[in-house]
Amino acid sequence: EVQLVQSGAEVKKPGESLKISCKGSGYSFTSYWIGWVRQMPGKGLEWMGIIYPGDSDTRYSPSFQGQVTISADKSISTAYLQWSSLKASDTAMYYCARLNDVVVAASLDYWGQGTLVTVSS
Amino acid sequence: DIQMTQSPSSLSASVGDRVTITCRASQGISNYLAWYQQKPGKVPKLLIYAASTLQSGVPSRFSGSGSGTDFTLTISSLQPEDVATYYCQKYNSALALTFGGGTKVEIK
């Protein structure tokens, strides 16, 4: 069974750093891209970026380039999303999801349970 | 950058009604479109990919159509468990994904 299990909720202060994780199982972790999606409170889904754990090829949405860092450790089947200096506006639910590009029209077929990040002084 | 516009932003319909949600791309995207359902407080779920292919396990009352710039998601007979927000998402070969703004579906 394919599963993506994310790390738990975080409460941080502005200016602090943070790294959240997404551990894949039940499939070849190095053969599928993993993407990150932000959902701010009461708002829609926003595409942040994506990584190919096989070779760590990473692409960012222009809106998030320079704001976050996406990485992966294929030895433990885990992808990461990190911030060096959090802002209150980073308060959101963050989802990881597997990109299934077996067909050319790729889609996000499995999702993690989400990690709620709250940034408040 | 290609923008995805969904309409309506919300709708209210009766159980058993046929419901149609549209998604328009600012440029042609072939059939590189997926639809997701997000129930309140839950994780998004893939319903349809490649514009019209039903994901395994999704009820057959859901269907998708379209190509190029105009796409539709149809629920043939709305059920109470279909209360959710629905999102379209486009994909391109540069691995740039974009979501539509969402359509909130409620029961009248």
Side-chain angles (χ1 to χ4, degrees), chain B residues 43-102:
Chain B
V43 177
K45 172 187 171 183
L46 176 64
L47 294 178
I48 287 167
Y49 62 93
S52 60
T53 303
L54 206 62
Q55 174 71 346
S56 176
V58 173
S60 59
R61 63 180 180 274
F62 291 94
S63 64
S65 65
S67 183
T69 59
D70 294 312
F71 302 86
T72 60
L73 172 69
T74 299
I75 308 172
S76 61
S77 177
L78 187 68
Q79 300 301 305
E81 60 266 32
D82 300 335
V83 168
T85 300
Y86 294 84
Y87 296 93
C88 63
Q89 167 246 305
K90 70 89 175 165
Y91 166 83
N92 70 20
S93 57
L95 298 162
L97 281 71
T98 304
F99 291 96

Side-chain angles (χ1 to χ4, degrees), chain B residues 3-43:
Chain B
Q3 303 303 312
M4 306 302 293
T5 303
Q6 279 184 242
S7 61
S9 56
S10 65
L11 66 89
S12 182
S14 300
V15 172
D17 281 356
R18 183 181 184 88
V19 169
T20 298
I21 298 167
T22 65
C23 182
R24 175 164 289 173
S26 58
Q27 299 175 40
I29 58 169
S30 184
N31 70 334
Y32 296 176
L33 187 99
W35 290 96
Y36 300 87
Q37 174 194 63
Q38 187 178 31
K39 296 183 178 181
K42 301 297 186 183
V43 177

Side-chain angles (χ1 to χ4, degrees), chain A residues 4 7 20 23 34 39 42 47 52 57 59 79 92 96 103:
Chain A
L4 295 172
S7 49
I20 63 175
K23 183 173 176 60
I34 291 285
Q39 187 167 39
W47 177 249
Y52 190 75
D57 186 4
R59 317 285 174 88
C96 65
V103 297

Side-chain angles (χ1 to χ4, degrees), chain A:
Chain A
E1 177 194 8
V2 174
Q3 282 194 308
L4 295 172
V5 179
Q6 297 184 230
S7 49
E10 301 274 3
V11 179
K12 292 289 190 179
K13 290 182 167 42
E16 291 185 331
S17 62
L18 175 64
K19 191 174 189 177
I20 63 175
S21 66
C22 169
K23 183 173 176 60
S25 63
Y27 73 101
S28 174
F29 186 73
T30 54
S31 300
Y32 290 82
W33 295 82
I34 291 285
W36 287 94
V37 176
R38 182 175 80 174
Q39 187 167 39
M40 299 177 77
K43 301 299 184 182
L45 304 174
E46 298 176 270
W47 177 249
M48 300 180 72
I50 196 166
I51 187 164
Y52 190 75
D55 62 6
S56 291
D57 186 4
T58 308
R59 317 285 174 88
Y60 293 93
S61 162
S63 300
F64 291 91
Q65 179 85 48
Q67 308 304 308
V68 296
T69 301
I70 295 170
S71 60
D73 184 342
K74 64 183 179 183
S75 69
I76 54 171
S77 301
T78 301
Y80 301 97
L81 177 66
Q82 70 180 92
W83 295 259
S84 58
S85 181
L86 286 160
K87 303 185 275 286
S89 57
D90 292 318
T91 294
M93 182 72 82
Y94 293 88
Y95 295 102
C96 65
R98 189 182 82 163
L99 185 77
N100 188 338
D101 58 353
V102 171
V103 297
V104 176
S107 57
L108 301 167
D109 61 351
Y110 287 91
W111 292 65
Q113 82 277 20
T115 296
L116 180 63
V117 174
T118 303
V119 183
S120 175
S121 54

